[in-house]
Amino acid sequence: MIVVMRPGASETEIDGVKKLIKELGLKDQVIVGTDLTVVAAIGDERLKDCAVMEQAPGVSKVMRVLAPYKMAAIETTGNQRTVVKLSETCVFGGKQVPVIAGPCSVEGEQEIMEAARQVKASGAHALRGGAFKPRTNPYAFQGFGEDGLKMLAAAREETGLPIVTEVLTPSDVELVSEYADCLQIGTRNSQNFKLLEACGKQPKPVLYKRGMSMTIDEYLQAAEYILAEGNPNVILCERGIRTFEDHTRNTLSLSAVPELQTRSHLPIIIDPSHGTGHARLVPSMAKAAVAAGADGLAIEVHQDPKHAMTDGAQSITPDQMDGLMVNLQRVAEAVDRECIPVEQMLGQV
Amino acid sequence: MIVVMRPGASETEIDGVKKLIKELGLKDQVIVGTDLTVVAAIGDERLKDCAVMEQAPGVSKVMRVLAPYKMAAIETTGNQRTVVKLSETCVFGGKQVPVIAGPCSVEGEQEIMEAARQVKASGAHALRGGAFKPRTNPYAFQGFGEDGLKMLAAAREETGLPIVTEVLTPSDVELVSEYADCLQIGTRNSQNFKLLEACGKQPKPVLYKRGMSMTIDEYLQAAEYILAEGNPNVILCERGIRTFEDHTRNTLSLSAVPELQTRSHLPIIIDPSHGTGHARLVPSMAKAAVAAGADGLAIEVHQDPKHAMTDGAQSITPDQMDGLMVNLQRVAEAVDRECIPVEQMLGQV
Amino acid sequence: MIVVMRPGASETEIDGVKKLIKELGLKDQVIVGTDLTVVAAIGDERLKDCAVMEQAPGVSKVMRVLAPYKMAAIETTGNQRTVVKLSETCVFGGKQVPVIAGPCSVEGEQEIMEAARQVKASGAHALRGGAFKPRTNPYAFQGFGEDGLKMLAAAREETGLPIVTEVLTPSDVELVSEYADCLQIGTRNSQNFKLLEACGKQPKPVLYKRGMSMTIDEYLQAAEYILAEGNPNVILCERGIRTFEDHTRNTLSLSAVPELQTRSHLPIIIDPSHGTGHARLVPSMAKAAVAAGADGLAIEVHQDPKHAMTDGAQSITPDQMDGLMVNLQRVAEAVDRECIPVEQMLGQV
Amino acid sequence: MIVVMRPGASETEIDGVKKLIKELGLKDQVIVGTDLTVVAAIGDERLKDCAVMEQAPGVSKVMRVLAPYKMAAIETTGNQRTVVKLSETCVFGGKQVPVIAGPCSVEGEQEIMEAARQVKASGAHALRGGAFKPRTNPYAFQGFGEDGLKMLAAAREETGLPIVTEVLTPSDVELVSEYADCLQIGTRNSQNFKLLEACGKQPKPVLYKRGMSMTIDEYLQAAEYILAEGNPNVILCERGIRTFEDHTRNTLSLSAVPELQTRSHLPIIIDPSHGTGHARLVPSMAKAAVAAGADGLAIEVHQDPKHAMTDGAQSITPDQMDGLMVNLQRVAEAVDRECIPVEQMLGQV
């Protein structure tokens, strides 16, 4: 931590800062500049509330030196990338770029079964579908709950695709964990720390979406809630942030891919459906994500988007998905990755 | 809902939109413009997923006409403002502008007792203090839990001030509701809908903070989760949004006060501590909030901010609080409101 | 400047950074921490491109210590506040809080004369009105140009109010400077550095609006373009920033007032009209601005906002202005400032 | 334009709105809904100030139907894409994806000559370099001016690469136009409408960068200032917007590429250097841009970024550029585009 003093700060003020630094269990080192004095605090500041130093007389500002996360940091694994496996043909963090596809919500037994068959035929590697839905509007469809989980399990039975589904609250974690191959924590719960903890205590991998107003530091720090409980299988998912830009539902900055890969060992995937909010923009951004080096994709697909119960505007059709998968494979190869359709992988296994 | 067609949209495309509108249970009305055609959908669109219309061929964009909330809307009460009462001397939504004050966290039995006495002496009308803390960092102090609630209750016993404290997860709602006079839902849980529902089912008033990337529409829509469960005693609290601006922790736009008062019957208070993140900016913004017409304030006060366990940088001292309360009373009078110190009110009661 | 090295950076890498620091004409000081090493660069970094240090091997990040402005900094005047005088009764930076009022555009000779009389009757201290208009739309009304300046001058002649009007491009500066008492640089030209320089070279005070995506640092740094050319009479004007918030045209954070007053000696005024974009929000935000300590206000007033040629949605009527001025005076007194109506001041002079 | 009335708006209020609509030269059509009434205004609203309707009694809100630009709209060319040619081997808007490369600033005769040779050897199609620099800091290097233009011309002479360089103010347009093959308007001047007009009046193509807080609508509307003066050769350039995200200098949302291509006939290129601000993120984002369908790239390259006079942190080295061009060609092919190195094209011509 670096404490910048005001120009003309007195010796007494500098001594006050040195005392506070010692109280925090850190060591101080004073740097006398031409315009002002700076006091460096040496030691592990990650658990300290550095900002409090602002309240000491004569202090102008305080700057952190260490990123505030530990287990998520790439140094922790000696630059080894974490590999998260949902099934033999759906592994995140390696050369292959798996695609999770399916409808926003599980809309019925037949619907999800049909969706599973279609996304498999397109080449996708996992099936998504919400049984518990966090709806902005309290009067809107909230999902089928446990029945939805059963429908997903039946679709997995039939297609072999692992299933990814959202969990909304700690008391549902055990239930969802029984059925799902991967638990999703959505953007609205990105700082629901009790939920993160609960997901850290169960054995299934966690797909943890970035909050729409979280910085990268806050995101990795919150991911520690899962890691710190003993679950190392965390997949990060960028789905766009909230900005003034209104032609998209969210603003999807793909620079988060190389940035997160530099800072953390966890795989990072992209959700171009929520990231744009419009089906017409999804294929371009999916291809761009793979070109940027993403470790996977999560894409909303619906047989009949106009009649989807949720998120229809951003769902592409199975036909569009077929075409997109062909293109993703080409782009993956152009950047020395692979996006081999699941059926073809199964032929190889 | 207004569906704007692309220039040159065909009759078939317009018919497709009309059909979709009918399927939603709405009535269509076509408006033929000079450059393009628009189809209006007549009926209650609030529960409909209007965006899905985008997927119909020939559609350029879709615009909602009705705000997506109902019970929170000012029309619902016939423009009558809701009054929420924490105690005889702490009533939100009337002429008086009550001030909730206290430390970010309950830091010990003596500490909170001392804090309660001080904020009462300053003139504040309720005591705040966190027993359950949502911390960005998993390794940071997480609060005393139920013991913290007991310390708050003891402080209320002694001072008579009602207590406001945060609840983090549905399974704690019953417990917190037993002790607190008002449950706080924090910004990180602003779209934790399961928590909102749980707070809607218990009898105590709820102080519901806006999420840092929520629009006003989303905020009122989420407030409905509480209202719809039968709890009408909701206090809205603006605490700043996240923007590119970095001289403050959040960007506190006081225009939310007149805007929310125009749209909703619920009282709206301001939290200048989180809204700025720096103690030095709190007094100016507190006074500005009252001048803008806020129905109350929530202010972090700490005996020794440099040593606060949480949020020290934004906590003012009891001395500063004394001075601020005098100024708030003057500003309140200048805008035909009142901010009478609690002791003086008790003398009057 | 503080250069943070990566964990495990080598001696050679640290030496490379030290060399670069020396090349910049600065002195290095190494701080060996528990987790990583930091190199401080001592000397005046304000004219240096610190970010370039990022490109040196082993560097994790670079942090500036000194704010990048000089003449605008409060230290430069020894904490003395700059006072900018447009007329005897319109002085910014003292106890009085002057109000600049008038229509967005000069719409005609009679119109601006009538407007001048009305705002003077309301108590305002200066007349605003655009003769050159920066319009988002190229086909929209662009102002009357020099004729507009003449109409403004006639209105000053009649009422005695000083006039504030915008200048769009360097080649118009001389012309506008001949007529106006204060040149306005609008938000769209906030980083039109050639225009800032040109305004720095002429003798009239400059009302310099913040850009809608400028940080406070960038704002004060750009203000230096005017100051550095020899014109010390700069009035800062916060008019809102661009954020995701869409219930207002811009997001007006009044915390800029105490923040700018802490950092700079220049007076800072608020424009609640552009800051909100809606006439219904202007009075609340104007009162809040004064309570926050603003040194002045700029408010759009129009006889018939529904028929205003520009910015009608955010213009209040003369009647509303009358009422607002009474309230502003009350709020000003509540925070130990003054907002005495101009006629009354003239009586006193 | 759609005018939404308040619930319970009176007949008189609706009549008032109808009258205002007629005054604007538009036709009204009333739609009586279940909850409220809406009045549609039929006719070309693009030149009208719709927002003013807000001030009419009983109005709740006003929504535009038509996008506010005309000549930039894709409908104007009958969905034909505009092709902008800087040279035989540098054509924007076709199958080829040209790359503009070079240093931020022209730093000397030899330096720019060497840079030109290097970017040509890497395969780039045009040379960039600033002779006039808009610097945030008034004390920073401002460019060599006309001498810089001459150095650029010499580099073109030697390499055959067309040159792209920035112009800052209307009075320099003629001069820059004499030397440059393409004039660049930077983000800080994106709403300097006088400069846009001046560039519209000269014959060279214009590379027009999006402002960092401009919406897509505002961007295309401002581009009309150039088009409306008679210059059809406008290249749009997305370089990132300003958001709360701080790991990058700007937030670069590539969804602007498909969105702008849907709305406008103008070519759209990406600047990943300013879009990220960090050299380490540039290659990923450059590849992603091509995968997203961008019509070109603008990349900052410097022989020795650590010693660059400007923007060193975001400049890649010639070696990195060599590698990147190979990768861009592969990605371009994967999305059915081409990014053939200039030497190879010349061999073909």
Side-chain angles (χ1 to χ4, degrees), chain C residues 20 23 46-47 49 51-52 54-57 68 70-71 134-139 142 168-170 188-189 191-194 197 212-215 218 221-222 224-225 228 242 277-280 305-315, chain D residues 20 23 46-47 49 51-52 54-57 68 70-71 134-139 142 168-170 188-189 191-194 197 212-215 218 221-222 224-225 228 242 277-280 305-315:
Chain C
L20 271 174
E23 285 174 12
R46 279 172 292 202
L47 308 190
D49 181 2
V52 85
E54 257 190 54
Q55 293 269 20
K70 280 182 145 174
M71 295 179 71
R135 304 305 305 280
T136 309
N137 195 309
Y139 313 114
Q142 310 271 332
L168 297 184
T169 199
R188 288 172 185 75
N189 281 312
Q191 293 190 306
N192 181 344
F193 301 127
K194 295 292 172 193
E197 274 172 15
M212 70 181 92
S213 59
M214 260 180 164
T215 63
E218 288 167 348
Q221 217 175 341
E224 303 252 309
Y225 269 94
R242 186 152 273 189
H278 301 286
R280 67 178 189 276
K306 287 194 303 292
H307 293 99
M309 291 171 82
T310 54
D311 276 353
Q314 70 196 34
S315 299
Chain D
L20 271 174
E23 285 173 13
R46 277 171 294 201
L47 309 190
D49 181 2
V52 84
E54 258 189 54
Q55 294 268 20
K70 278 181 144 174
M71 295 181 71
R135 303 306 304 281
T136 309
N137 194 310
Y139 313 115
Q142 310 272 333
L168 297 183
T169 199
R188 287 175 185 73
N189 281 312
Q191 293 190 305
N192 181 344
F193 300 126
K194 294 292 173 194
E197 274 174 12
M212 68 181 94
S213 58
M214 259 181 166
T215 64
E218 287 167 348
Q221 216 175 344
E224 303 251 312
Y225 268 95
R242 186 150 272 189
H278 302 286
R280 67 178 189 276
K306 287 194 301 293
H307 294 100
M309 291 170 81
T310 54
D311 275 354
Q314 70 196 34
S315 298

Side-chain angles (χ1 to χ4, degrees), chain A residues 191 213, chain B residues 187 210-214 239-242 250, chain C residues 244:
Chain A
Q191 292 190 306
S213 58
Chain B
T187 192
R210 182 177 175 187
M212 69 180 92
S213 57
M214 259 180 166
R239 42 78 71 206
I241 57 171
R242 185 151 275 191
N250 293 287
Chain C
F244 75 85

Side-chain angles (χ1 to χ4, degrees), chain D residues 262-334:
Chain D
T262 304
R263 297 205 203 182
S264 177
H265 51 88
L266 298 170
I268 162 79
I269 73 169
I270 293 291
D271 171 354
S273 306
H274 287 87
T276 63
H278 302 286
R280 67 178 189 276
L281 300 173
V282 168
S284 295
M285 291 306 276
K287 288 183 278 182
V290 173
D295 295 312
L297 291 169
I299 298 178
E300 290 192 354
V301 183
H302 194 281
Q303 293 99 308
D304 182 8
K306 287 194 301 293
H307 294 100
M309 291 170 81
T310 54
D311 275 354
Q314 70 196 34
S315 298
I316 61 173
T317 62
D319 274 4
Q320 291 169 322
M321 185 66 189
D322 286 351
L324 178 56
M325 285 299 293
V326 174
N327 288 321
L328 291 178
Q329 196 173 355
R330 293 174 66 193
V331 175
E333 281 163 14

Side-chain angles (χ1 to χ4, degrees), chain A residues 46-293:
Chain A
R46 278 172 293 203
L47 309 191
K48 316 293 179 185
D49 182 2
C50 299
V52 83
M53 209 66 73
E54 257 189 56
Q55 293 269 20
V59 171
S60 164
K61 64 176 172 175
V62 187
M63 304 187 294
R64 275 187 173 276
V65 165
L66 288 177
Y69 45 86
K70 278 181 146 174
M71 295 180 72
I74 187 119
E75 292 83 15
T76 303
T77 59
N79 293 313
Q80 202 79 28
R81 303 212 64 76
T82 288
V83 169
V84 181
K85 192 171 170 173
L86 303 200
S87 74
E88 290 301 323
T89 49
C90 187
V91 180
F92 295 88
K95 194 177 184 187
Q96 169 81 359
V97 182
V99 179
I100 303 167
C104 179
S105 300
V106 176
E107 300 186 359
E109 207 175 332
Q110 284 195 300
E111 286 81 354
I112 193 67
M113 188 62 82
E114 183 59 18
R117 284 190 202 114
Q118 283 171 334
V119 302
K120 188 181 180 189
S122 295
H125 309 87
L127 175 68
R128 56 151 294 147
F132 296 94
K133 298 301 307 169
R135 304 305 305 281
T136 309
N137 193 310
Y139 313 115
F141 173 64
Q142 310 271 333
F144 284 122
E146 187 169 1
D147 286 345
L149 296 175
K150 288 180 180 160
M151 297 173 198
L152 282 167
R156 171 179 50 200
E157 195 69 23
E158 162 95 8
T159 59
L161 294 182
I163 59 181
V164 181
T165 197
E166 184 164 357
V167 59
L168 297 184
T169 199
S171 57
D172 288 342
V173 167
E174 201 182 324
L175 177 71
V176 178
S177 179
E178 265 174 50
Y179 289 94
D181 298 290
C182 178
L183 277 64
Q184 178 181 313
I185 298 173
T187 193
R188 287 174 185 73
N189 281 311
S190 59
Q191 292 190 306
N192 180 344
F193 300 127
K194 295 292 173 193
L195 179 61
L196 272 68
E197 275 174 12
C199 289
K201 285 176 180 149
Q202 59 78 48
K204 299 290 177 67
V206 179
L207 175 57
Y208 172 43
K209 292 196 167 187
R210 181 177 176 187
M212 69 181 94
S213 58
M214 260 181 163
T215 63
I216 297 268
D217 267 0
E218 288 167 348
Y219 187 28
L220 290 176
Q221 217 175 342
E224 303 252 312
Y225 270 95
I226 309 172
L227 299 172
E229 295 293 339
N231 188 341
N233 293 308
V234 174
I235 304 165
L236 301 174
C237 179
E238 168 68 81
R239 44 76 72 204
I241 56 171
R242 186 151 274 190
T243 73
F244 74 85
E245 176 63 82
D246 59 1
H247 85 269
T248 44
R249 184 170 167 187
N250 293 287
T251 296
L252 181 57
S253 172
L254 296 173
S255 66
V257 171
E259 185 70 17
L260 282 165
Q261 286 170 342
T262 304
R263 297 205 201 183
S264 176
H265 52 87
L266 298 171
I268 161 79
I269 74 169
I270 293 291
D271 171 353
S273 306
H274 287 87
T276 62
H278 301 286
R280 68 178 188 275
L281 301 172
V282 168
S284 296
M285 290 307 275
K287 287 182 279 182
V290 172

Side-chain angles (χ1 to χ4, degrees), chain D residues 20 23 63 73 111 182 196 207 221 226 246 262 301 328 332:
Chain D
L20 271 174
E23 285 173 13
M63 305 186 296
E111 286 80 354
C182 178
L196 272 67
L207 175 58
Q221 216 175 344
I226 309 171
D246 59 1
T262 304
V301 183
L328 291 178

Side-chain angles (χ1 to χ4, degrees), chain B residues 75, chain C residues 306, chain D residues 3-18 20 35-39 52-62:
Chain B
E75 292 84 15
Chain C
K306 287 194 303 292
Chain D
V3 183
V4 181
M5 305 300 296
R6 297 224 172 91
S10 69
E11 276 309 305
T12 319
E13 288 171 336
I14 294 169
D15 285 345
V17 166
K18 289 161 71 173
L20 271 174
D35 289 69
L36 42 75
T37 293
V38 150
V39 189
V52 84
M53 210 68 72
E54 258 189 54
Q55 294 268 20
V59 171
S60 164
K61 64 176 172 175
V62 186

